[in-house]
Amino acid sequence: MTNEIAAHFYAGLEAMMEEAFQEAEFHFQYVLSLKPDNVPSLVNLGALALKRDFAQEAVNYFTQALVFNPTHADARRNIAATFLHYDRFENALTHYKELEKYHTLERDDWYNMGVAHMSLGHFVEAINCYEQVLIIQPTHTAALNNLAAIYIRQGQRERAIPLLKLALESQPSDDSSRFMLNVLEKNAAQPRESQEYVKNLFNNYAVNFDQHVITTLKYSLPKKSAEILKDFYSGRFSRVLDLGCGTGLSGVGLRAMSDHLTGVDLSAKMLAQARLKNCYDILIEEEVITFLNNTHDTYDLIQVLDVLPYFGDLNGFFASVSVRLSSEGFLLLSVEMSEDEIWKIQDSMRFCHHPDYVLTLADAHGLKLRHQEILTARQENGQALEVLLILFQAGMTAVSASLRFGQNDDLL
């Protein structure tokens, strides 16, 4: 490296450390003007592009670097991590495999490969990657948590318990691990729900979600909910809220009957998939009750499918959702059913609720029953999973409700 090239290269590094990114870019570009095959400058320009969220530009720089030096570890590692960040899991794995040919994989390489395999449903490969992480760092909380989640999903609950205990020893504030362990060991009669667990669950499931639930699990709720709404309301809704919208499987049906459609979900990666469907006017990443409490908007229809199984006590939900309905607005929701307790946790890590509990809460918040129906939502472990789909309506006076359902003989 000549003195001039070295001076500009190290000036670029110093500018990067001081977060003077434009200055850093100038120096690295100057190096390339003198020596186009300077791989470290190309790698640093790729890193600068990532800091500005220019993903394709970053990939281009890393690719150029690898053309000049296919075995360059930082270039290969960075392009793999970039693809992983943007959920291009197959591309990421391709580059990690190339990295492994020439270099010893580091802890984060194994972890990132585990995330990619897990997101694609390659659980055997993901287990191997997470085990490699734990060989290097036995207390790696995220690897312990993800590995436990895979074992739970495979029905190997006894293998998940020691992993979760170790995760909590390392990081006592890990709410997701604590929730899973409480359920597995039945440490609490009514365990508190964990939004961190839900977020992790669906972020790891997002890319493969649609194909799995539609093709493998035969998921039917979005179609059935659209049919029920058409039976009870023939017009178009002005404003519709899809709470827990996930990847937007209900978006097409709701779009056809709404002038303005908002989707809310806790999982950023699920929302990224929903965005691709171009059904929603607005997509918001937020916990659903937090959103309801913070917004001042009202909606003619609020749909809440496969959300309440991630809540125990529903008092807060009904208090928040009822005030967000417009006059005579509709609330359509689904619950998994408990036959004895008002609500309880299931082995699936989801909560079920007694129908009477749900109906009583709705009535207490001014919501009147319009329709309820038990149906098969999907397959789970080879068995039909039945849920209760319920349609409520706000703004109905006691008189009109009594007349509609024939419960007040004094008015006849």
Side-chain angles (χ1 to χ4, degrees):
M1 187 180 292
T2 68
N3 290 340
E4 186 178 12
I5 289 176
H8 279 280
F9 180 78
Y10 289 114
L13 290 181
E14 185 176 348
M16 278 188 75
M17 290 192 303
E18 295 174 354
E19 298 189 352
F21 298 139
Q22 286 186 330
E23 181 183 348
E25 183 178 15
F26 166 78
H27 288 295
F28 293 131
Q29 290 289 7
Y30 190 85
V31 171
L32 293 178
S33 72
L34 299 176
K35 188 173 175 36
D37 63 348
N38 187 272
V39 170
S41 291
L42 288 166
V43 172
N44 286 328
L45 284 168
L48 286 171
L50 285 179
K51 289 180 180 294
R52 296 178 296 176
D53 203 28
F54 296 158
Q56 188 56 58
E57 183 178 324
V59 168
N60 292 342
Y61 280 123
F62 297 141
T63 301
Q64 288 180 57
L66 290 169
V67 169
F68 292 121
N69 184 355
T71 67
H72 195 277
D74 287 343
R76 188 70 69 182
R77 186 170 279 120
N78 285 352
I79 196 171
T82 302
F83 280 125
L84 181 76
H85 178 75
Y86 290 96
D87 295 342
R88 299 276 296 277
F89 299 117
E90 295 284 5
N91 300 82
L93 287 170
T94 296
H95 285 285
Y96 279 121
K97 289 173 184 175
E98 284 297 311
L99 179 66
E100 191 175 11
K101 290 180 181 178
Y102 305 103
H103 303 277
T104 299
L105 294 183
E106 298 177 355
R107 181 202 65 184
D108 289 350
D109 301 325
W110 285 114
Y111 178 76
N112 288 344
M113 289 176 68
V115 170
H117 281 302
M118 186 176 182
S119 299
L120 292 169
H122 305 161
F123 296 127
V124 173
E125 294 87 348
I127 288 171
N128 175 65
C129 291
Y130 290 137
E131 287 177 342
Q132 293 296 324
V133 174
L134 297 176
I135 290 172
I136 300 170
Q137 182 186 343
T139 59
H140 192 287
T141 305
L144 290 164
N145 188 290
N146 286 350
L147 187 54
I150 292 174
Y151 284 139
I152 292 170
R153 186 167 178 175
Q154 293 181 329
Q156 302 181 61
R157 302 162 72 87
E158 69 287 347
R159 300 189 69 174
I161 290 174
L163 297 171
L164 295 171
K165 287 182 176 179
L166 186 56
L168 285 169
E169 287 176 12
S170 173
Q171 188 172 326
S173 61
D174 179 10
D175 189 61
S176 177
S177 291
R178 187 170 301 282
F179 170 76
M180 288 190 283
L181 185 62
N182 281 340
V183 175
L184 292 177
E185 291 197 316
K186 304 185 185 304
N187 290 331
Q190 301 286 35
R192 180 179 60 84
E193 63 266 14
S194 168
Q195 296 306 313
E196 192 64 30
Y197 163 77
V198 176
K199 182 190 296 186
N200 292 344
L201 174 69
F202 287 104
N203 276 340
N204 287 328
Y205 195 13
V207 171
N208 228 26
F209 182 84
D210 285 6
Q211 180 181 2
H212 183 64
V213 298
I214 295 172
T215 304
T216 305
L217 304 185
K218 311 299 181 185
Y219 185 53
S220 65
L221 276 189
K223 179 180 178 181
K224 186 61 181 178
S225 65
E227 293 172 355
I228 290 174
L229 289 169
K230 289 175 183 177
D231 287 342
F232 282 85
Y233 192 79
S234 59
R236 290 177 64 82
F237 296 101
S238 176
R239 296 180 61 83
V240 174
L241 175 62
D242 187 7
L243 279 181
C245 64
T247 62
L249 287 177
S250 294
V252 174
L254 291 176
R255 176 79 277 170
M257 63 181 74
S258 60
D259 295 328
H260 189 279
L261 177 58
T262 297
V264 176
D265 202 274
L266 186 64
S267 166
K269 292 188 180 293
M270 296 287 274
L271 288 173
Q273 298 300 310
R275 196 167 287 112
L276 298 176
K277 295 182 173 65
N278 294 315
C279 296
Y280 296 87
D281 296 289
I282 301 175
L283 285 168
I284 299 171
E285 180 188 346
E286 198 163 21
E287 190 273 327
V288 296
I289 294 182
T290 301
F291 169 81
L292 291 170
N293 291 339
N294 289 339
T295 187
H296 298 292
D297 294 328
T298 57
Y299 300 88
D300 305 307
L301 167 65
I302 299 178
Q303 178 170 279
V304 195
L305 300 184
D306 284 323
V307 173
L308 299 189
Y310 297 99
F311 289 92
D313 186 344
L314 297 182
N315 278 282
F317 168 77
F318 275 101
S320 298
V321 78
S322 59
V323 297
R324 300 273 62 91
L325 285 169
S326 61
S327 175
E328 299 188 2
F330 289 91
L331 172 64
L332 180 64
L333 56 81
S334 68
V335 294
E336 297 182 22
M337 293 172 289
S338 168
E339 296 180 354
D340 42 21
E341 301 180 50
I342 59 172
W343 60 268
K344 64 181 180 181
I345 194 68
Q346 305 173 92
D347 288 344
S348 63
M349 302 273 171
R350 300 189 302 272
F351 293 90
C352 58
H353 302 85
H354 197 286
D356 290 347
Y357 170 66
V358 178
L359 296 174
T360 299
L361 281 176
D363 185 67
H365 289 90
L367 304 176
K368 301 304 176 184
L369 177 67
R370 296 298 307 275
H371 178 79
Q372 60 179 327
E373 179 177 343
I374 297 175
L375 55 89
T376 298
R378 63 180 181 275
Q379 298 296 308
E380 184 168 280
N381 299 322
Q383 302 293 322
L385 175 67
E386 292 191 333
V387 304
L388 180 62
L389 194 61
I390 316 176
L391 181 66
F392 297 106
Q393 189 172 12
M396 297 174 66
T397 66
V399 172
S400 64
S402 298
L403 288 172
R404 185 179 300 274
F405 296 109
Q407 296 173 341
N408 193 332
D409 293 338
D410 293 339
L411 295 175
L412 299 179

